[in-house]
Amino acid sequence: MPNVEHTFSVIVNTTDRAASLKILLQALEHQSYPHFEVIVVVGPTRDHTLDILKEYEGRLRVLHCPVANLSVSRNIGLRAARGEIVAYIDDDAVPSRNWLLQLNRIFANPLIAATGGVVYLVHPAHSAIQHRLGIISALAEQYDVRAGLLDKLPPEGLGRFWTMRMMGANMAYRRSALMAIGGFDEFYEWVYDDSDAAVRLASAGFLVQPTAEAPVYHVPASSRNRVAFTFQGRWWIQTKAAVYFSIRNGRSLGAPPRDILRRIGYFVHGHWLWNVDLHRHKKISSGQLLKASMLEAKGAFLGATNALFRPPTLLSQSMHHEENTSTEPIQPYLNQDSALQPSVDPVSGRRSTVTLVDPPLRVALLSFNYPPERYEGVGRHTNLMAKGLFELGHTVHVLTHGKQEGVSFYDGAYVHRVPYRLNRYLHLRHLPKVHHLLNYSHAVHERLERLLLNDDIQIVDTPVWQADGFVTAVSGMLPVVVRPQTAQRQIGQIERDFSDDTRLVGEIEETLLRRAALIAANSFATTIALQKVYRVSDQSAPIQIIPHGIEAVADEATRPFPLDRLPAKLTVLYVGRLEKRKGIQDLFTAIPKVLRRLPHVEFIIAGADNSEADGFKRKTGLSYPAYFRKRYPECTASVQFLGEVSEERLQTLYQSCHLFVAPSLYESFGLIYLEAMNYAKPVIGCRAGGIPEVVDDGVTGRLVDPESPEQLAEAMAALLQSPRTLYEYGVAGRQRLLDRFTHIHMARGFEQVYRRVLAETAAMAQSQPTPVQKAESTS
Amino acid sequence: MKRPVTVADILNSVEFELLQHSLMQDDVSEGIQRLRAYQARTRVELFGQGKSPAFEDVVSAQFNANEMMMTLIQVLNERLEALRQEVRQAAHLKQHTPSTADSPPDWGALSDQPFGSSYAHFYAFDFAPAASADLPDRTHALEALAESLQDASTVVEMEVRQSHLPIIGGLLNRIRRALHELVLFYTNKVVRRQAQVNDAYNVVLQELVALNRAQAQEIAQLRWHLQRLTAPGAQNDQASNG
């Protein structure tokens, strides 16, 4: 098919949605396809829409629609459009980066008169696909979401004439074709305008063919017709439109009158039943039910009488000819600054205030678990990376596991939920860990393919944990940066699990590391572990150390040790799972020694008991808390075991303690120390793993040898007896965090890494001779 | 004793699934089956025992069948376009990677049926087993479709309910028969035309699937070459051979 570059007119119809409109206009700056103009048709507005549009003076055209009628507004835009293609997008939606590029690809087929892409509903709790490859009959029966083109074929319903249709939030037409059918029927003041145009185009012999690509992300905003995410709305307008649609299109396309009547009955009765249901659940009052019922009847009456006795309100032929003579070129929306515009969060409207020197990156971060559903470990780290990268102006897509496909926004990043089924790699199903890992990784790969196509992502970042990016790394589709954390092979070694399943997961992890474009280790200790556990060194794949970072709390939230008013009781906090690797047994031995010297000290131990997994319970028959109570009964009054606590509670604990202690035998980095330092707390850890890279011994806290309870007790007692040292260590720790370990520092590190990888990939691609060069050299 | 799974096996599986993904015809196969079921059901509904079909019902059923076939062709066409791109990429890679001395094994014997002359150039490469795994499904589905099309009634037969009313019964029967003949004349015209359209669709589908199969084999072959070239030791082999 020829590679044709059409000119587009992007038409936005808006009334009283200034905030959403601003976000859309910012998002349009990121379109990869440059040949488009923007026309904004403003309805009878009462907010500051016109002020927003003033900022774009000279870049877009503003037209006015005197009435609050979507079809009239759409026709005004259509008449003024100079592009060969008119693309409509809702003012409360944002397009994917390749939206117009994909639509242009579809229109390369000269037979296609209308198309449109997927619409993702961005909902606070129930994100889903709102529209994909929809079909509708002349009697307004519709399937809005279909798995593929072959789904729901043959369609089931009374209608004999079916056509594919687009949703108004994301639809594009060949201008000449839309003009030929008279544009939009202005009877439809809201809803069914899009379906009606599709049916009329199809019945006039034009090809209507939506695509499963070119998505827009729809963040429903309130309007005069409905309050977003509530039941409040002028739903009778829908009934009016549906009745009108069914009668007009049903009659013109030969539907029997009895079927038309059945559909009308269905609309009126269905809406009435819905209202009754709302009333039964006390969501609307009796008065509202009565009013709604009367309005439904009125809507049906108006729809029927207009369809039966009045001609449709279409663009007049004279108007058609007059506009067709216009040969003015489009006024491109993009300018030289567009490429350097930071990413925008379509929900909050936030965007970075950083002035970008290079175009923002488009990054995909992978994490099986992700907040707000799962707030732990890798998910938390990924979230901080996403947040930091967004604050630096980059576009971030996070792919995480979900029960159904959907997109939401969290901390500025697109969060794509990826469901997966165990329908691949069936010959490996006797290895459950491998089977799950590969199937999920494949599902992620497929989603990444879609993101590459539609959102033009440049690079993928995956943790070793769960090996989400394994299939993508094997495919070579995109450069993959790998973040090594504690992984299955290490856990297998600790837990002495030598099963085939665990061994193979370890080998998958190793292969992922070897296939990485770059390994982003969080500490020097991690690079040593990589060499030891995976035999991966800088020779096998480039390794870069990027320390973890956390979000610094506001200065007001920090509570350094109070020098002016010494507390009556000092609190020592431990956070972490209760297991051998975390040094819990050493802490238990040290606590009585401290309490003997300082009886006014209280110990708070927060974290889940892991005595079963690490074999402690098998050996002693007791959980860790029970063991402590039995072994040191005299200390139980001074030690609180809280178990696993919520994120909010954890922050409060960090804030209120006076000393933080975590005598882990190994930590690849030691995020918990940073959490305590964030609140200006002195910390005690061990000289093991990456801990010395975080804790500056004698400056921000104390380091002791691993498995040395005497040293631990001594360090705790010494610090607790010196208020000034507690204060000074705490303040120094906070300063160290602000200087080196914030999520912005971490994001900057990743930004440099990504740019380096992309530059190397581009250089490698350039070094490959083209076919022409090759032919020349051989001749 | 069963050989334990290795990471090389897993990598092969991933490669295979990636290839399958680009060739996966599950939904096409399912679509053809669905079309066949629809044909069969419609045939029973329209031409089975009971009332003679209304003209609109016949046309409506035909339009539905058309829609399904066009969709199938559209899907296959999109697949073909994707495959073409992959072939181009793989060919480009092959062109820019030095070849190894050892030659690939001859998979030619695995070919289950020859291709038409228009695809003769695909014989330039040998066959790889991975690519052919899902082909039988599609072939069966297509054969089923062809069979279904051959079976389809191309003529609607007349079935007139006899009237036994005294005196005017005979006249009524004659009028009914005349009216039915008129309707059937037009219906049969449309049905015959539809049968021709169905045949044409079937030919296009056959060609698309054959082309698809040929390209799949070429991709598999190119992948095989690529794997050999990128395998550790390939460079050394080449150096020692050179």
Side-chain angles (χ1 to χ4, degrees), chain A residues 149-150 153-154 160 209 424-425 427 442 445-446 449 474-475 503-504 507 511 768-771 774, chain B residues 5-7 10-11 13-14 17-18 21 27-28 34 38 56-57 64 68 71-72 74-75 92 95-96:
Chain A
L149 284 168
L150 300 168
L153 282 182
R160 285 185 168 152
Q209 188 179 297
R424 293 191 169 100
Y425 305 99
H427 60 293
H442 215 109
H445 177 71
E446 284 182 350
E449 279 185 321
V474 172
S475 76
R503 174 183 60 80
L504 279 166
E507 288 186 25
T511 310
Q768 297 257 3
T770 62
K774 171 117 177 148
Chain B
V5 181
T6 66
V7 75
I10 288 176
L11 283 171
S13 303
V14 172
E17 284 294 338
L18 285 168
H21 168 68
D27 51 348
V28 173
R34 200 180 295 161
Y38 177 74
E56 292 88 1
D57 292 336
N64 276 340
M68 292 170 80
T71 309
L72 279 171
Q74 184 188 333
V75 170
H92 180 76
Q95 206 174 14
H96 292 94

Side-chain angles (χ1 to χ4, degrees), chain A residues 184 338 500 639:
Chain A
F184 295 90
S338 295
D500 261 7
V639 180

Side-chain angles (χ1 to χ4, degrees), chain A residues 106-119:
Chain A
I106 304 279
F107 281 113
N109 180 348
L111 298 175
I112 292 176
T115 188
V118 179
V119 179

Side-chain angles (χ1 to χ4, degrees), chain A residues 328-344:
Chain A
E328 281 183 70
I330 61 162
Q331 176 185 27
Y333 178 68
L334 301 182
N335 62 19
Q336 68 275 15
D337 295 331
S338 295
L340 297 177
Q341 292 302 312
S343 176
V344 59

Side-chain angles (χ1 to χ4, degrees), chain A residues 205-420:
Chain A
F206 290 104
L207 185 54
V208 178
Q209 188 179 297
T211 171
E213 310 300 339
V216 305
Y217 304 96
H218 187 205
V219 190
S222 296
S223 69
R224 65 180 61 212
N225 289 323
R226 59 127 203 262
V227 181
F229 307 127
T230 70
F231 300 103
Q232 294 170 37
R234 299 162 71 200
W235 306 119
W236 66 275
I237 296 179
Q238 283 194 353
T239 307
K240 183 177 82 165
V243 168
Y244 179 85
F245 181 100
S246 304
I247 296 177
R248 188 169 291 290
N249 291 310
R251 288 179 80 201
S252 69
L253 292 165
R258 65 169 190 283
D259 288 347
I260 298 176
L261 278 172
R262 279 168 72 182
R263 288 296 294 162
I264 293 172
Y266 169 81
F267 293 128
V268 179
H269 186 60
H271 264 199
W272 184 75
L273 283 180
W274 184 57
N275 282 318
V276 168
D277 203 41
L278 288 179
H279 178 251
R280 193 179 298 145
H281 289 93
K282 300 199 186 329
K283 286 178 178 150
I284 58 172
S285 64
S286 302
Q288 283 173 312
L289 173 65
L290 183 67
K291 190 180 168 192
S293 304
M294 287 170 69
L295 286 172
E296 289 293 330
K298 175 187 164 188
F301 177 75
L302 284 175
T305 49
N306 276 278
L308 290 168
F309 305 118
R310 291 180 66 175
T313 319
L314 303 172
L315 288 178
S316 67
Q317 285 301 310
S318 59
M319 196 84 78
H320 180 185
H321 290 303
E322 174 200 324
E323 289 302 320
N324 267 357
T325 55
S326 167
T327 52
E328 281 183 70
I330 61 162
Q331 176 185 27
Y333 178 68
L334 301 182
N335 62 19
Q336 68 275 15
D337 295 331
S338 295
L340 297 177
Q341 292 302 312
S343 176
V344 59
D345 178 346
V347 176
S348 65
R350 279 191 313 123
R351 67 174 186 168
S352 171
T353 50
V354 173
T355 307
L356 293 172
V357 183
D358 295 309
L361 295 166
R362 299 176 297 279
V363 186
L365 306 181
L366 313 184
S367 176
F368 189 85
N369 296 319
Y370 198 71
E373 284 82 9
R374 295 294 303 273
Y375 205 87
E376 46 77 52
V378 177
R380 190 175 184 184
H381 178 233
T382 311
N383 172 232
L384 286 166
M385 275 174 71
K387 199 170 186 176
L389 287 166
F390 172 74
E391 284 173 26
L392 295 179
H394 306 297
T395 305
V396 185
H397 296 267
V398 177
L399 279 76
T400 185
H401 177 239
K403 282 183 184 153
Q404 66 168 32
E405 192 182 337
V407 184
S408 57
F409 288 85
Y410 191 75
D411 286 339
Y414 293 74
V415 181
H416 303 264
R417 307 278 158 192
V418 183
Y420 75 108

